[in-house]
């Protein structure tokens, strides 16, 4: 076994211990009571699980996906928080100021500071699905930013996230920046969701928020967004893979008692496991070249991400059918995973967003 493989195995073993131990003990509190598990994220950061995809650690996106899948197998909400945190790390390492790309990134990677991503709206705006929610106006020493984002996850007072605004409303003139929750930005509670309540999701209102030049990550933003778009999407494969594996666990759990009748159901655990293994291998293969810019690579990433959503939806429904009434209890793992799988299917990029972008890529005309 090579040293790199030993390091990977050791990291995943540490993650497994956290996921099966302290995380599994509070998963219902996270899902139903809205507990925001920063103590788990801190432990994951100190175990090295929040930063294998960063350049300082070899840009190992495959290991990042595997770590996220290990956590998502126990709790999809915590897996989603890992994704938010990892993506924010991608923004920080691209920032020109060392206070962000070195100092803050170091605490962020260890889970000693926390930050998410507010790029759901910009990703949809750039795809023409909705309008850009934030607008920036140049000001001495930086910008003034105003607007409302309806829901942003993994944020809280004293934390931060990556965000994007359009300069003076001009398409093609966007700015990517670090938004700090230091009192200027108003955080407002969101309506109660059917699941994922422990993700610390808030509505953000900015009124002339002063953005200092040191917190600007990229301007114009679109060239950088085009580079991080595939990794942004591909990392979400970890959430899907983990939730599907958790569903298979629930199917197998009742096999001794109900296998004689469950054999008449579609999407049996052996079938789902084979499909999951194929999906995971596909995602890990794509993760070897996260910087690839060829349109065919992005098309493969989009298709894999859609495949993960569809697999999660099928697996969660099948797990519920396999368990029957016991899986329909509000605290049952299959019931929770139904909602987690639905979230994977609607979180940006949602299945419809993915299909829209795939259709565009497949119909683009090559230049003469």
């Amino acid at each position: 076994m090579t040293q790199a493989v030993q390091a990977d195995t050791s990291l995943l073993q540490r993650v497994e211990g956290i996921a099966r131990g302290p995380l599994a003990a509070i998963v219902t509190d996270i899902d139903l009571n809205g507990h925001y598990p920063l103590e788990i994220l801190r432990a994951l950061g100190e175990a090295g699980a929040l930063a294998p995809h960063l350049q300082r650690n070899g840009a190992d996106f495959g290991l990042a996906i595997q770590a996220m899948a290990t956590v998502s197998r126990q709790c999809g909400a915590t897996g989603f928080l890992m994704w938010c945190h990892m993506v924010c790390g991608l923004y920080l390492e691209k920032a020109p100021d060392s206070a962000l790309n070195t100092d803050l990134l170091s605490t962020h990677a260890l889970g000693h500071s926390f930050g998410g991503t507010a790029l759901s709206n910009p990703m949809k705006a750039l795809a023409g699905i909705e309008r850009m929610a934030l607008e920036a106006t140049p000001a001495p020493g930086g910008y003034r930013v105003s607007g409302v984002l309806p829901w942003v996850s993994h944020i809280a007072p004293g934390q931060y996230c990556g965000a994007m605004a359009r300069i003076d409303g001009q398409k093609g003139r966007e700015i990517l920046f670090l938004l700090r929750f230091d009192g200027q930005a108003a955080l407002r509670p969101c309506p109660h969701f059917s699941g994922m309540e422990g993700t610390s999701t808030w509505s953000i209102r900015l009124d002339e928020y002063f953005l200092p030049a040191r917190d600007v990550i990229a301007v114009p933003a679109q060239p950088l967004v085009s580079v991080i778009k595939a990794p942004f999407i591909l990392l979400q494969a970890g959430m899907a893979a983990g939730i599907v594996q958790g569903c298979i666990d629930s199917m197998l759990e009742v096999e001794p008692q109900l296998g004689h009748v469950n054999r008449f159901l579609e999407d049996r655990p052996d079938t789902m496991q084979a499909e999951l293994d194929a999906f995971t291998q596909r995602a890990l293969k794509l993760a070897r070249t996260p910087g690839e810019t060829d349109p065919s690579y992005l098309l493969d990433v989009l298709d894999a991400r859609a495949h993960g959503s569809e697999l999660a939806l099928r697996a969660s429904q099948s797990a519920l059918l396999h368990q029957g009434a016991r899986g329909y209890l509000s605290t049952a793992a299959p019931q929770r995973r139904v909602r987690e799988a639905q979230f994977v299917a609607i979180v940006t990029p949602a299945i419809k967003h993915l299909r829209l972008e795939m259709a565009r890529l497949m119909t683009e005309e090559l230049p003469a």
Side-chain angles (χ1 to χ4, degrees):
M1 186 181 292
T2 67
Q3 191 172 12
V5 171
Q6 286 178 327
D8 292 357
T9 302
S10 177
L11 185 147
L12 292 176
Q13 287 174 342
R14 293 194 298 272
V15 174
E16 182 83 15
I18 295 166
R20 287 185 175 274
L23 176 57
I26 61 171
V27 66
T28 300
D29 196 27
I30 294 169
D31 179 57
L32 295 181
N33 300 327
H35 174 65
Y36 181 28
L38 288 184
E39 74 278 21
I40 300 296
L41 290 172
R42 188 172 293 108
L44 290 168
E46 291 174 351
L50 298 180
H53 64 304
L54 298 178
Q55 291 176 357
R56 59 172 63 186
N57 296 323
D60 194 337
F61 280 80
L63 185 55
I65 288 171
Q66 289 174 292
M68 195 186 304
T70 300
V71 170
S72 299
R73 183 176 183 174
Q74 299 297 326
C75 178
T78 307
F80 172 61
L81 290 172
M82 285 182 74
W83 174 80
C84 295
H85 200 88
M86 287 179 175
V87 170
C88 188
L90 290 179
Y91 310 150
L92 291 174
E93 73 176 358
K94 299 296 185 183
D97 195 308
S98 62
L100 301 187
N101 67 38
T102 302
D103 300 341
L104 183 56
L105 183 59
S106 294
T107 64
H108 184 84
L110 288 171
H112 293 169
S113 64
F114 301 101
T117 172
L119 260 63
S120 175
N121 163 257
M123 287 290 188
K124 287 182 279 190
L126 294 177
I129 296 172
E130 60 188 40
R131 68 174 185 84
M132 189 77 72
L134 301 183
E135 183 167 333
T137 302
Y143 295 84
R144 293 285 178 181
V145 184
S146 297
V148 176
L149 291 169
W151 34 68
V152 179
S153 300
H154 193 29
I155 57 172
Q159 295 178 199
Y160 47 86
C161 69
M164 188 185 298
R166 184 158 282 164
I167 301 173
D168 292 334
Q170 298 181 41
K171 190 173 182 179
R173 293 192 67 211
E174 289 85 20
I175 182 170
L176 180 64
F177 63 96
L178 188 74
L179 173 57
R180 298 178 189 266
F181 298 103
D182 55 5
Q184 284 195 77
L187 296 178
R188 298 180 176 178
C190 292
H192 186 79
F193 293 110
S194 63
M196 311 295 282
E197 279 293 284
T199 58
S200 194
T201 301
W202 299 81
S203 170
I204 301 171
R205 182 178 183 87
L206 303 180
D207 289 310
E208 295 289 306
Y209 171 92
F210 178 67
L211 169 65
R214 66 177 179 274
D215 284 346
V216 173
I217 295 171
V219 57
Q222 287 201 40
L224 176 56
V225 171
S226 67
V227 170
I228 63 177
K229 183 174 183 176
F232 177 104
I233 296 169
L234 184 58
L235 280 170
Q236 293 179 341
M239 282 192 294
I243 290 168
V244 173
Q245 190 64 67
C247 292
I248 295 170
D249 293 340
S250 291
M251 295 179 208
L252 293 173
E253 181 184 326
V254 296
E255 195 66 8
Q257 299 84 24
L258 300 175
H260 65 290
V261 65
N262 280 345
R263 65 192 178 93
F264 294 102
L265 291 171
E266 297 177 356
D267 295 327
R268 294 281 283 140
D270 55 345
T271 304
M272 293 304 308
Q273 189 67 62
E275 289 193 46
L276 173 59
D277 292 346
F279 166 74
T280 301
Q281 289 307 309
R282 181 185 185 191
L284 293 179
K285 182 178 179 181
L286 290 168
R288 294 175 197 158
T289 55
E292 177 66 61
T293 57
D294 189 278
S296 63
Y297 175 78
L298 179 58
L299 183 60
D300 284 343
V301 168
L302 294 168
D303 187 57
R305 171 68 176 84
H307 181 197
S309 293
E310 292 154 2
L311 198 60
L313 290 171
R314 280 176 47 216
S316 63
Q317 175 172 283
S318 187
L320 182 57
L321 294 177
H322 274 72
Q323 288 221 348
R326 73 187 74 185
Y328 199 58
L329 297 172
S330 63
T331 57
Q335 178 60 229
R336 170 170 49 82
R337 290 190 180 111
V338 166
R339 291 178 275 110
E340 291 174 348
Q342 290 169 340
F343 179 79
V344 171
I346 65 170
V347 69
T348 303
I351 289 179
K352 57 190 177 183
H353 183 173
L354 291 161
R355 290 177 180 167
L356 168 67
E357 297 227 21
M358 285 190 281
R360 284 177 177 168
L361 280 172
M362 289 189 287
T363 57
E364 277 182 352
E365 293 184 358
L366 294 174

